[in-house]
Amino acid sequence: MNEKIKQAANIIKQGGLVAFPTETVYGLGADATNEEACSKIFKIKGRPSINPLIVHIASIAQAESISIFNEDAYKLLTFWSGPLSIVLPLNKNANIAKSVLAGLDTIALRLPAHPIALQLLKEAGCPIAAPSANPSGYISATTTEHVQQHFANQDVFILSDNSSCQYGLESTIIDLTTPAPTILRYGFITPDSIESIIGKKVSTAPPLMTIKAPGMMDKHYSPQTPLRLNATDLEQGEIGLGFGEGQFRPMLNLSSIGNIVEAAANLYLMLRQLDDYASSNQISRIAVAPIPNSGIGLAINDRLKRAASL
Ligand code: TXA
Ligand code: MG
């Protein structure tokens, strides 16, 4: 693995693209200071240029050199390394590629916990801009196989140990540039846990709005097959995605024991499996059982809402 990571780091340094695992989802990375390299990410994903990228860093010192830290940011370091992205004012001398910022004067930073991601960042020596490794708008990739399906024929080096991503949902995004800290995207780091660390209330961005972080708003994370949410029965032409016991008989179950962590880890994988099945079996819709809307359930329901949005 070490040799492969070195090879991947060299590709990043030379302006190439590398797909790599993180504890949330796979990322599609490039040197965040190289404009040409970063613009390739937008091209290959079909990503709108108005949607900024998260920049991954290997250390707090590196984060401090790219952004302007404040008191809340220092408190939130308790969640690093891990599934939290922090939006801070950009340090204008940081030399971050223009396309990464999409015109904003803020930057989203994340210090990932996955050992391969961390080692890649250290070897490359530069910050790595990396959105999720999927075509824009489609379900994020949580396995090597899915990354290969999307990018094997492209000029992308796939770095992988063939394991699945531990959490299976993208990082929580907290914006510390707003008057009150604002959750821009729900994830494993919950609003409650953030509030308990910074000692103040956070606001949450209203669902499906169209400002600030366009990729997190409106339609996203979507299978080809339409979804029907909070389903308690199966209608004609539907297959079911269950949670816990007691609803209809689902084709797949996010967690038959009703465990929300397990459900999050299975969500994208099972949506992809059902989407594939539906398209080859004339299934018109995926019915999804209700998921409790608290804690990590907030993140699951948020993704489902966007996935179901037309
Ligand atoms: O878990 C994750 O965060 C994964 C892994 C690879 O680290 N990355 C990921 O990236 O989910 P992506 O591009 O799929 O989602 C990043 C989101 C976008 O919706 C973007 O709008 C938002 O972060 N974003 C990036 N920079 C921002 C900024 N300065 N202010 C507000 N939102 C920002
Ligand atoms: Mg994404």
Side-chain angles (χ1 to χ4, degrees), residues 32 105 132 208 216 259 284:
D105 52 11
S132 50
L208 309 188
M216 302 171 325
N259 179 315
S284 55

Side-chain angles (χ1 to χ4, degrees), residues 25-26 45 47 51 131-140 170 185 215 220-221 268:
V25 298
Y26 273 80
K45 274 189 60 118
R47 183 180 178 102
N51 196 359
S132 50
N134 53 279
S136 185
Y138 194 62
I139 306 165
S140 302
E170 302 82 355
R185 180 171 70 186
H220 219 72
Y221 317 106
Y268 290 151

Side-chain angles (χ1 to χ4, degrees), residues 20 22 24-28 45 47 51-54 56 85 87-88 100-101 104 106-108 110 130-134 140 169-171 173 175 184-185 212-216 220-221:
F20 61 96
T22 82
T24 58
V25 298
Y26 273 80
L28 179 63
K45 274 189 60 118
R47 183 180 178 102
N51 196 359
L53 305 181
I54 293 177
H56 299 68
S85 296
V87 177
L88 288 167
V100 169
L101 304 167
L104 299 175
T106 59
I107 187 158
R110 178 159 119 74
S132 50
N134 53 279
S140 302
L169 285 183
E170 302 82 355
S171 60
I173 303 181
D175 188 346
L184 296 180
R185 180 171 70 186
K212 202 136 196 190
M216 302 171 325
H220 219 72
Y221 317 106

Side-chain angles (χ1 to χ4, degrees), residues 30-268:
D31 176 353
T33 66
N34 181 330
E35 180 54 48
E36 206 184 318
C38 291
S39 64
K40 282 194 240 170
I41 295 181
F42 286 83
K43 195 157 169 240
I44 210 167
K45 274 189 60 118
R47 183 180 178 102
S49 60
I50 50 165
N51 196 359
L53 305 181
I54 293 177
V55 172
H56 299 68
I57 33 79
S59 68
I60 291 160
Q62 199 179 19
E64 287 173 321
S65 74
I66 295 174
S67 66
I68 300 161
F69 262 57
N70 59 29
E71 207 181 313
D72 289 340
Y74 282 111
K75 289 183 184 161
L76 289 174
L77 292 184
T78 181
F79 297 114
W80 276 7
S81 57
L84 179 72
S85 296
I86 306 179
V87 177
L88 288 167
L90 173 73
N91 173 351
K92 300 249 164 57
N93 303 322
N95 200 25
I96 297 296
K98 264 209 166 97
S99 59
V100 169
L101 304 167
L104 299 175
D105 52 11
T106 59
I107 187 158
L109 294 175
R110 178 159 119 74
L111 204 165
H114 196 296
I116 294 180
L118 266 183
Q119 212 183 321
L120 173 67
L121 280 159
K122 281 181 188 149
E123 292 279 348
C126 58
I128 296 181
S132 50
N134 53 279
S136 185
Y138 194 62
I139 306 165
S140 302
T142 53
T143 66
T144 316
E145 196 191 334
H146 294 146
V147 178
Q148 279 163 345
Q149 273 171 19
H150 296 314
F151 301 117
N153 299 325
Q154 313 271 7
D155 199 6
V156 173
F157 183 85
I158 299 176
L159 175 63
S160 163
D161 61 354
N162 284 313
S163 62
S164 310
C165 300
Q166 181 193 347
Y167 295 117
L169 285 183
E170 302 82 355
S171 60
T172 303
I173 303 181
I174 177 109
D175 188 346
L176 297 182
T177 69
T178 41
T182 306
I183 305 259
L184 296 180
R185 180 171 70 186
Y186 290 114
F188 264 79
I189 308 295
T190 60
D192 286 354
S193 55
I194 290 177
E195 284 175 352
S196 73
I197 293 297
I198 60 179
K200 58 175 112 155
K201 279 268 169 218
V202 298
S203 30
T204 49
L208 309 188
M209 63 180 194
T210 47
I211 51 153
K212 202 136 196 190
M216 302 171 325
M217 307 309 161
D218 53 44
K219 192 171 170 62
H220 219 72
Y221 317 106
S222 299
Q224 309 294 338
T225 318
L227 296 182
R228 184 167 66 88
L229 306 184
N230 295 311
T232 49
D233 55 2
L234 278 188
E235 292 176 5
Q236 185 85 26
E238 288 184 339
I239 45 174
L241 179 60
F243 176 78
E245 286 175 355
Q247 309 98 14
F248 48 81
R249 184 186 285 231
M251 179 167 273
L252 293 175
N253 200 323
L254 290 168
S255 170
S256 48
I257 56 164
N259 179 315
I260 205 80
V261 175
E262 183 183 34
N266 281 331
L267 180 69
Y268 290 151

